[in-house]
Amino acid sequence: MIKNTTRNDIILSINNNVGISMSLSSKIVEDIFETIMIELENGNDVKISSFGTFNLKHKKTRIGRNPKTGIESAISARNVVTFNGSNNLKKKIR
Amino acid sequence: MTKSDLVIKIINLNNYINQKDVQKSVDTFFETIITSLINSNKVELRGFGSFGIKKREARLARNPKTGSIVAVPTKKISFFRMGKGMKERLNK
């Protein structure tokens, strides 16, 4: 059975491999999320070696179409995050 | 920001007793995600986003320079989709 990996699995893995308490592992995981998000909010890229790069991209307003009804409507401008896996990651999952 | 910057920022955020532990934790964090992706498992991180694998079927493509036909084998590609929490924060 395929099981999704969740926050808890990562916390457990840190707890096992690093030998720190569950609560401290959990705190560090939250700090990782928070630090990456703050960096992206400030418009900076986040490069994690042998993992990949997170980039913030700004998308302009464009006209889209509801595929079901065919009615045209504006898609508002938005910020999106793109992730580019490193060559190392690409090789590993290939 | 690089991985070492990330580690330094986390250390500064709190006065953790052992900086080596923070370093190892950050490494383990990303390694755990990589291991899941190698096993084709999805990684769901609420408030942040999800990582997963998409399969690309084998296809015939052309070398744009020479025009010769090349067979491209099936491959797996990683993707990231940002979560609701991140989306809201970046679009305030």
Side-chain angles (χ1 to χ4, degrees):
Chain A
M1 194 187 84
I2 296 166
K3 188 185 149 290
N4 283 353
T5 303
T6 60
R7 192 177 298 237
N8 211 39
D9 298 317
I10 295 178
I11 294 168
L12 261 172
S13 154
I14 292 176
N15 170 253
N16 280 329
N17 290 317
V18 187
I20 55 177
S21 69
M22 287 292 282
S23 59
L24 187 54
S25 309
S26 161
K27 179 83 178 60
I28 292 177
V29 168
E30 289 311 316
D31 286 346
I32 293 172
F33 290 146
E34 190 59 28
T35 312
I36 292 176
M37 283 200 268
I38 288 172
E39 206 65 17
L40 290 170
E41 272 180 312
N42 293 336
N44 297 329
D45 293 349
V46 180
K47 274 184 198 166
I48 308 293
S49 66
S50 75
F51 184 70
T53 311
F54 296 93
N55 296 307
L56 183 72
K57 276 193 180 154
H58 183 73
K59 298 266 183 185
K60 285 186 195 149
T61 314
R62 65 187 168 93
I63 305 292
R65 204 184 274 272
N66 180 331
K68 210 171 182 179
T69 61
I71 297 167
E72 281 188 354
S73 57
I75 296 172
S76 51
R78 67 191 64 217
N79 291 322
V80 295
V81 171
T82 59
F83 171 73
N84 240 314
S86 69
N87 287 332
N88 189 318
L89 178 65
K90 281 179 189 161
K91 260 184 220 152
K92 279 183 179 162
I93 60 173
R94 191 167 54 191
Chain B
M1 182 175 79
T2 61
K3 189 156 79 179
S4 46
D5 297 330
L6 175 65
V7 172
I8 292 165
K9 281 190 178 176
I10 293 171
I11 291 167
N12 289 340
L13 217 57
N14 312 268
N15 284 317
Y16 289 121
I17 315 146
N18 196 331
Q19 305 191 350
K20 266 233 163 84
D21 284 348
V22 177
Q23 168 90 57
K24 271 200 233 162
S25 302
V26 170
D27 285 338
T28 308
F29 175 89
F30 291 110
E31 274 158 23
T32 309
I33 297 176
I34 293 173
T35 309
S36 305
L37 292 177
I38 290 172
N39 298 326
S40 292
N41 283 350
K42 209 177 166 196
V43 183
E44 266 187 14
L45 304 164
R46 288 283 143 85
F48 187 76
S50 60
F51 294 90
I53 290 289
K54 274 178 188 161
K55 225 178 142 184
R56 293 265 185 276
E57 291 302 330
R59 67 194 167 90
L60 291 176
R62 241 170 232 282
N63 180 333
K65 210 171 180 181
T66 62
S68 57
I69 293 170
V70 209
V72 180
T74 49
K75 54 185 164 187
K76 288 174 176 173
I77 295 205
S78 64
F79 71 88
F80 170 73
R81 225 184 136 217
M82 63 177 171
K84 218 177 178 181
M86 189 191 273
K87 209 183 226 168
E88 278 163 8
R89 279 182 67 165
L90 297 174
N91 287 290
K92 272 186 291 199

